Amino acid sequence: MELQNTVTEALNALYHHPDDAVRMQADRWLQNFQRTIDAWQVADNLLHDTASNQETLIFCSQTLRSKVQRDFEELPSEAFRPLRDSLNMLLKTFHKGPPKVRTQISLAVAALAVHVPADDWGDGGIVNWIMDEINSHPEYLPSFLELLRVLPEEAFNYKISARPDRRRQFEKELASAMEVALSILTACLNFNEFKEQILEAFASWLRLRHRIPASMLASNPLVLTALSSLTSDVLSEASVNVISELIHYTAARYSDGVSSQLPLIQVIVPQVMNLKPQLRDPSKDEEDVKAIARLFADMGDSYVELIATGSDESMLIVHALLEVASHPEFDIASMTFNFWHNLQMILTDRDFFISSGNEASIEAERSRRLQIFHPSYESLVALVIFKVQYPADYAELSREDQKDFKQTRYAVADVLIDGALVLGGEATLKILYMKLVEALSCCGKDSSTDWRPAEAALYCIRAISDFVSVVESEIMPQIMSLFPKLPHQPQLLQTVCLTIGAYSKWLDASSSGLSFLPSVIDILVSGMSISEDTAAAASLAFRHICDDCCKKLCGSLDGLFQIYQRAVIGESTFKVSAEDSLHLVEALSKVITELPSEHAKKALEALCLPAVAPLQEIISQGPLVLGQKTARELTVHVDRLANIFRHVNHPEAVADTIHRLWPLFKAIFDLRAWDMRTMESLCRACKNAVRTSKRFMGVTVGAILEEIQGLYKQHHQPCFLYLSSEVIKIFGSDPTCANYLKILIESLFSQTTCLLTRIQEFTSRPDIADDCFLLASRCIRYCPQLFFPSPIFPPLVDCSMVGMTIQHREASNSILNFLSDIFDISKSSQGEIYLPIRDNVIVPRGPSITRILVACLTGALPNSQVETVTYALLALSRAYGVKTLEWAKETVSLIPSTAVTELERSKFLQALSNAQLGKDINDLKLPIEELSEVCRRNRTVQEIVQGALRPLELHIVTVS
């Protein structure tokens, strides 16, 4: 009683106390209370207490539902019957509400049925029990209808901590009880006031997709009731849900072909088609129109293969879907987009027509179908242009609404691509060009006129750029010649710039492309001066043009350099941000790549100068100034150099440049090694130079590695490890570098293993852990001859065992992948020679590694990591066969039988055993993942398992 009073007081404080701190304290107390075993009795008592207010009833019903779902195993087996009786009484008590409480009680009863087999439930299982209760107490029908609705939904609720075998069994029980459930619902149709609830419950049972012959469903009173209410004045949401489920039901993949479903399809389709006039009925509520549109979209999605035959009947559905696509509300129109995509996939897939016979017949049938659907896709393309038009009040929209509008445009772009794939790029372009001409007739040079229709047409033209031939000669020259005539309204100019960029390949390949290059570059320069958004679009387009037209632009390098320098120096008229200036860096880099080697070196020097000069200026002011600068003042220039080294594909010239710049880089390394952002930027520049120059950088790379090797001891920057891994990839197999690289990796790894001796240190430095084990995996791949014989190999394996349970996805993946790479070393070409060294390290640690991996699988790591852990376990099994099985048996024997049954243990061990035999990994995953699910099914079980395995106590392993 005292605890009940405390719960009531805490709820009162939570909902009504003026002090936030008191409310938070009450909330924490109530959450902790819900996890206690006392919560069962207290919640039950308060729900039966007529004095409990609504807040108490809602909290207690949620608590009871949660306890049944997650903590049912806390109760002794004899508690089931009293619990079921109490819940039954509560169902009857709350049959008139509050609805939230009734729903929670219904969910609790459904969860109880998931846990308890039908034989133990008695009364022929829960569905028969519900039937008996309704027959005995029809006055409580609302509660039992609610229970019938949630029951099939709970079969797939993974919050319920049932074992996988029991969950599968429950689904079978529901399948066998389906006819009884539908007979109950049919009998309840006599209670007209509950029709909505009855149909919702029917829809819920249909979602199970259990086979009921279509001929039986076609004449079922529940189906006929749902269909008849489609034509009533007030469209019932429940009836729409039922018809929607029936449509999906007839198209389910396991059905015995379309012919077996025809009796039901022939009943549904005409009734839905009769709703088509209501799509344009102004008297119809928008929600009703949305519901009708949903039914047409469901028919399109479900019957797309039938529709793709192009029969007269199927074209009626297509016309209805075009009607939906034309609706001014995007939420309604977009319901059809999935259908148009799937239809396109069928029409353009040669394999779909393979049954037509020989190659000529296949092509003939495909062409016939495409011709049938051409008019539909032409209409679709013309319709969706209006969906992308900027709203007149766009500037006043909230950021969220502006974001939604952008998503709308992306979705329409996908539909236009579907159209282009069916009609062909040129045919689609012609439709869009006509719309552009039409729009431009209303849009003069004055930007105050309505620019929005023209911008919308251009956006669509840009969207299909990949499907227009690069030698198209009819429409594209006309579009390009229109660009200089358009007003410089910012949003229109932004789209013009992006469209120019999208057709950069056309500008390169077309016979008339070269003549347009000067005018389009002028437009891009204008774009760089109007606003930040137009500058971003212009910079991106400039990069595309220089990338694709680089050969044509080699002779115009001086003019391009002028644009580049104005943008990078930050001339007042240009509004190019530091991030967008990287597009221009890349653009010039691509053009320089096309120059002969003797000219590239000088051009590369000029390209680097606007980034190098400011850095030299800062360094010349002395160490104090360099140390006090913000990271941004340095990285903006270093990032430009990084982009140059990445994109100028002249290995010798880049190697020479970085050799000259090394004193400047070294000065920054020496004085800013404490600053992570600057070091990341500098390491990225060095990494890109190494990638591009490869062996040409031999001299400088030694100086770089010597520098970071020394600095890592003091500052432990993760990017030093990442840069080293790039060097290992390129120089790891070079025998002339062996001694140097051996010293490097031993130094870096010994420093890191001293840093990471406890899981807390991993948690506080996850980036170091991530990059350390990425580097280790690179060493296994590119220089195993240096890595495996090294004295650092055993401590690094011990370090991985310490950090395996880190709660950081990337770091955890790197550690687990490192271990998998060790286990899988025999797969590599020369891996066999390192097996004795590997085995000397792994075998003594095998029991501990296995135990930590099983602990990770069963709850020490998040569920999202299970796949990576599974792979590591299977790799260990493949490597050590019977030994792994012994280690695993020893590990799983520690887990109490209350958590894992013998059957679940043996299935897991069998999967590991099968791994040794080379069985398909996909067949082995299920039993391993099911052990994971069983051990995570609720907090209590997870704590029991982790308490038994104690992974954190296994890290320090004494190996003789």
Side-chain angles (χ1 to χ4, degrees), residues 571-583:
E571 186 192 291
S572 57
T573 58
F574 270 30
K575 295 183 167 58
V576 180
S577 69
E579 286 75 18
D580 292 322
S581 72
L582 295 177
H583 291 311

PDB file of all heavy atoms in Angstrom, residues 571-583:
ATOM      1  N   GLU A 571      37.909  37.946 -54.181  1.00  0.00           N
ATOM      2  CA  GLU A 571      37.638  39.286 -54.720  1.00  0.00           C
ATOM      3  C   GLU A 571      36.211  39.698 -54.362  1.00  0.00           C
ATOM      4  O   GLU A 571      35.289  38.881 -54.377  1.00  0.00           O
ATOM      5  CB  GLU A 571      37.832  39.240 -56.237  1.00  0.00           C
ATOM      6  CG  GLU A 571      37.731  40.605 -56.887  1.00  0.00           C
ATOM      7  CD  GLU A 571      37.633  40.494 -58.403  1.00  0.00           C
ATOM      8  OE1 GLU A 571      38.626  40.100 -59.031  1.00  0.00           O
ATOM      9  OE2 GLU A 571      36.548  40.794 -58.923  1.00  0.00           O
ATOM     10  N   SER A 572      36.023  40.966 -54.072  1.00  0.00           N
ATOM     11  CA  SER A 572      34.754  41.440 -53.478  1.00  0.00           C
ATOM     12  C   SER A 572      33.525  41.099 -54.303  1.00  0.00           C
ATOM     13  O   SER A 572      32.470  40.801 -53.756  1.00  0.00           O
ATOM     14  CB  SER A 572      34.823  42.952 -53.258  1.00  0.00           C
ATOM     15  OG  SER A 572      35.095  43.600 -54.494  1.00  0.00           O
ATOM     16  N   THR A 573      33.640  41.112 -55.652  1.00  0.00           N
ATOM     17  CA  THR A 573      32.433  40.855 -56.448  1.00  0.00           C
ATOM     18  C   THR A 573      32.057  39.375 -56.464  1.00  0.00           C
ATOM     19  O   THR A 573      30.944  39.018 -56.800  1.00  0.00           O
ATOM     20  CB  THR A 573      32.623  41.333 -57.900  1.00  0.00           C
ATOM     21  OG1 THR A 573      33.751  40.656 -58.452  1.00  0.00           O
ATOM     22  CG2 THR A 573      32.837  42.835 -57.951  1.00  0.00           C
ATOM     23  N   PHE A 574      33.025  38.500 -56.138  1.00  0.00           N
ATOM     24  CA  PHE A 574      32.751  37.061 -56.137  1.00  0.00           C
ATOM     25  C   PHE A 574      32.217  36.627 -54.768  1.00  0.00           C
ATOM     26  O   PHE A 574      32.678  37.105 -53.740  1.00  0.00           O
ATOM     27  CB  PHE A 574      34.018  36.262 -56.467  1.00  0.00           C
ATOM     28  CG  PHE A 574      34.202  36.011 -57.944  1.00  0.00           C
ATOM     29  CD1 PHE A 574      33.721  36.906 -58.893  1.00  0.00           C
ATOM     30  CD2 PHE A 574      34.865  34.882 -58.399  1.00  0.00           C
ATOM     31  CE1 PHE A 574      33.886  36.679 -60.240  1.00  0.00           C
ATOM     32  CE2 PHE A 574      35.037  34.649 -59.765  1.00  0.00           C
ATOM     33  CZ  PHE A 574      34.550  35.555 -60.684  1.00  0.00           C
ATOM     34  N   LYS A 575      31.238  35.739 -54.785  1.00  0.00           N
ATOM     35  CA  LYS A 575      30.630  35.272 -53.531  1.00  0.00           C
ATOM     36  C   LYS A 575      30.855  33.765 -53.327  1.00  0.00           C
ATOM     37  O   LYS A 575      30.021  33.070 -52.775  1.00  0.00           O
ATOM     38  CB  LYS A 575      29.134  35.588 -53.520  1.00  0.00           C
ATOM     39  CG  LYS A 575      28.859  37.103 -53.506  1.00  0.00           C
ATOM     40  CD  LYS A 575      27.388  37.417 -53.421  1.00  0.00           C
ATOM     41  CE  LYS A 575      27.140  38.883 -53.086  1.00  0.00           C
ATOM     42  NZ  LYS A 575      27.734  39.827 -54.045  1.00  0.00           N
ATOM     43  N   VAL A 576      32.002  33.281 -53.818  1.00  0.00           N
ATOM     44  CA  VAL A 576      32.322  31.856 -53.718  1.00  0.00           C
ATOM     45  C   VAL A 576      32.860  31.561 -52.317  1.00  0.00           C
ATOM     46  O   VAL A 576      33.845  32.172 -51.889  1.00  0.00           O
ATOM     47  CB  VAL A 576      33.370  31.451 -54.782  1.00  0.00           C
ATOM     48  CG1 VAL A 576      33.699  29.971 -54.676  1.00  0.00           C
ATOM     49  CG2 VAL A 576      32.854  31.783 -56.180  1.00  0.00           C
ATOM     50  N   SER A 577      32.205  30.631 -51.608  1.00  0.00           N
ATOM     51  CA  SER A 577      32.658  30.279 -50.256  1.00  0.00           C
ATOM     52  C   SER A 577      33.947  29.448 -50.336  1.00  0.00           C
ATOM     53  O   SER A 577      34.297  28.933 -51.393  1.00  0.00           O
ATOM     54  CB  SER A 577      31.584  29.464 -49.536  1.00  0.00           C
ATOM     55  OG  SER A 577      31.472  28.184 -50.133  1.00  0.00           O
ATOM     56  N   ALA A 578      34.617  29.319 -49.188  1.00  0.00           N
ATOM     57  CA  ALA A 578      35.860  28.533 -49.151  1.00  0.00           C
ATOM     58  C   ALA A 578      35.595  27.094 -49.598  1.00  0.00           C
ATOM     59  O   ALA A 578      36.390  26.495 -50.333  1.00  0.00           O
ATOM     60  CB  ALA A 578      36.439  28.557 -47.742  1.00  0.00           C
ATOM     61  N   GLU A 579      34.463  26.526 -49.151  1.00  0.00           N
ATOM     62  CA  GLU A 579      34.128  25.140 -49.533  1.00  0.00           C
ATOM     63  C   GLU A 579      33.911  25.034 -51.039  1.00  0.00           C
ATOM     64  O   GLU A 579      34.391  24.106 -51.693  1.00  0.00           O
ATOM     65  CB  GLU A 579      32.872  24.658 -48.801  1.00  0.00           C
ATOM     66  CG  GLU A 579      33.076  24.346 -47.331  1.00  0.00           C
ATOM     67  CD  GLU A 579      33.208  25.605 -46.469  1.00  0.00           C
ATOM     68  OE1 GLU A 579      32.807  26.709 -46.938  1.00  0.00           O
ATOM     69  OE2 GLU A 579      33.736  25.497 -45.355  1.00  0.00           O
ATOM     70  N   ASP A 580      33.167  26.022 -51.607  1.00  0.00           N
ATOM     71  CA  ASP A 580      32.871  25.957 -53.043  1.00  0.00           C
ATOM     72  C   ASP A 580      34.101  26.265 -53.889  1.00  0.00           C
ATOM     73  O   ASP A 580      34.179  25.832 -55.053  1.00  0.00           O
ATOM     74  CB  ASP A 580      31.724  26.909 -53.393  1.00  0.00           C
ATOM     75  CG  ASP A 580      30.405  26.445 -52.799  1.00  0.00           C
ATOM     76  OD1 ASP A 580      30.174  25.211 -52.787  1.00  0.00           O
ATOM     77  OD2 ASP A 580      29.625  27.276 -52.318  1.00  0.00           O
ATOM     78  N   SER A 581      35.064  26.995 -53.314  1.00  0.00           N
ATOM     79  CA  SER A 581      36.284  27.279 -54.081  1.00  0.00           C
ATOM     80  C   SER A 581      37.040  25.988 -54.396  1.00  0.00           C
ATOM     81  O   SER A 581      37.812  25.933 -55.351  1.00  0.00           O
ATOM     82  CB  SER A 581      37.193  28.241 -53.315  1.00  0.00           C
ATOM     83  OG  SER A 581      37.802  27.591 -52.209  1.00  0.00           O
ATOM     84  N   LEU A 582      36.797  24.939 -53.596  1.00  0.00           N
ATOM     85  CA  LEU A 582      37.451  23.647 -53.865  1.00  0.00           C
ATOM     86  C   LEU A 582      37.006  23.073 -55.210  1.00  0.00           C
ATOM     87  O   LEU A 582      37.746  22.323 -55.846  1.00  0.00           O
ATOM     88  CB  LEU A 582      37.169  22.656 -52.735  1.00  0.00           C
ATOM     89  CG  LEU A 582      37.751  23.027 -51.363  1.00  0.00           C
ATOM     90  CD1 LEU A 582      37.341  22.007 -50.313  1.00  0.00           C
ATOM     91  CD2 LEU A 582      39.269  23.140 -51.409  1.00  0.00           C
ATOM     92  N   HIS A 583      35.774  23.420 -55.657  1.00  0.00           N
ATOM     93  CA  HIS A 583      35.328  22.988 -56.992  1.00  0.00           C
ATOM     94  C   HIS A 583      36.213  23.621 -58.071  1.00  0.00           C
ATOM     95  O   HIS A 583      36.557  22.980 -59.067  1.00  0.00           O
ATOM     96  CB  HIS A 583      33.874  23.392 -57.240  1.00  0.00           C
ATOM     97  CG  HIS A 583      32.884  22.640 -56.415  1.00  0.00           C
ATOM     98  ND1 HIS A 583      32.891  21.271 -56.299  1.00  0.00           N
ATOM     99  CD2 HIS A 583      31.830  23.067 -55.653  1.00  0.00           C
ATOM    100  CE1 HIS A 583      31.906  20.883 -55.512  1.00  0.00           C
ATOM    101  NE2 HIS A 583      31.253  21.949 -55.103  1.00  0.00           N
TER     102      HIS A 583
END
